[in-house]
Amino acid sequence: MRPSRIRAALATIAVAAVLTSVGGGTAQAWQGWPDPPAAQSPAPSLSSGAANHCLDPEGTGLNALLSIREQIVGPPACRVAVAMKPWVSAFPSWGTAADAAGAVYPAGYTPSLPKPMDDFILKFLGVRIVQDIGTPQEQSFSFGPEVLRLVVTEEGLPFATFASPALPGLRPGPHTSTVYFRMSSEHCDGAGTSRTDDCLPAGESAYTGNTPFEVLKKQG
């Protein structure tokens, strides 16, 4: 389920959930977020970055929820960071049909595992996060499946959510972050028959656009 569709799906879920990393551990689930229009720039708020207290659109504190000490960049309210301090990239979730019985797929696609989320986890190799893409300051960071955390709602809907390890601090000024997925083979979410909306291709492909954020000098 593409990020634009999963945001709509998550907005309708008002139930408790369990968040489990691939390696174990649990916490309450958190929701996806909408991206603001491209013309809008994030409103700088040094205090939110300095306090490392990122809230998603539902008011959930992501730092406490995900046990992340560093400043998080990703949700619209978390698009500012403090210069030269490590930061973590968080980006929208990937959702699938709950089980094989209710799954539908594009013509010609056959999953490698019966449950769509199991199929995604099997094929998910990791991400490449590119900061300041297309500029002289461009840098890429690659990570494996450790960025994935699995959400299962009480209704049985599975979602994979993501948070990177800590990334190096940046100089003051405007920046962007762009996320690419790496898949061992094509995966479809079982929620529809459109390869554009419901599938991730084999190899590397863009998962997000260029997310803008601002890095500010630390005061005091």
Side-chain angles (χ1 to χ4, degrees), residues 70-71 73 84-90 129-131 140-143 164-170 177 213:
E70 295 82 9
Q71 50 199 343
V73 171
M84 308 314 295
K85 288 187 63 177
W87 59 284
V88 166
S89 173
I129 299 171
V130 185
Q131 62 187 39
S140 291
F141 302 89
S142 294
F143 304 103
S164 76
L167 298 168
L170 297 168
S177 178
F213 63 102

Side-chain angles (χ1 to χ4, degrees), residues 1-2 5-6 9 94-105 109 111 113-121 150-153 155-160 187-193 197-199:
M1 191 181 294
R2 288 289 183 189
R5 293 181 58 198
I6 193 169
W94 180 262
T96 70
D99 52 42
V104 293
Y105 295 108
Y109 174 79
L113 292 176
K115 290 186 177 181
M117 183 53 73
D118 290 346
D119 185 76
F120 172 76
I121 293 172
L150 179 62
V151 172
V152 181
T153 72
E155 295 179 342
L157 298 175
F159 299 99
H187 159 76
C188 297
D189 59 18
T193 58
D197 293 332
D198 299 300
C199 300

Side-chain angles (χ1 to χ4, degrees), residues 92-187:
S93 306
W94 180 262
T96 70
D99 52 42
V104 293
Y105 295 108
Y109 174 79
T110 302
S112 298
L113 292 176
K115 290 186 177 181
M117 183 53 73
D118 290 346
D119 185 76
F120 172 76
I121 293 172
L122 174 71
K123 297 172 179 176
F124 179 70
L125 299 178
V127 299
R128 183 167 66 96
I129 299 171
V130 185
Q131 62 187 39
D132 300 326
I133 193 167
T135 74
Q137 293 76 41
E138 178 178 321
Q139 292 188 73
S140 291
F141 302 89
S142 294
F143 304 103
E146 69 273 10
V147 303
L148 186 154
R149 294 160 167 83
L150 179 62
V151 172
V152 181
T153 72
E154 288 184 348
E155 295 179 342
L157 298 175
F159 299 99
T161 66
F162 310 94
S164 76
L167 298 168
L170 297 168
R171 295 184 180 278
H175 295 271
T176 63
S177 178
T178 310
V179 178
Y180 293 83
F181 268 18
R182 299 194 311 274
M183 305 294 294
S184 62
S185 58
E186 183 184 31
H187 159 76

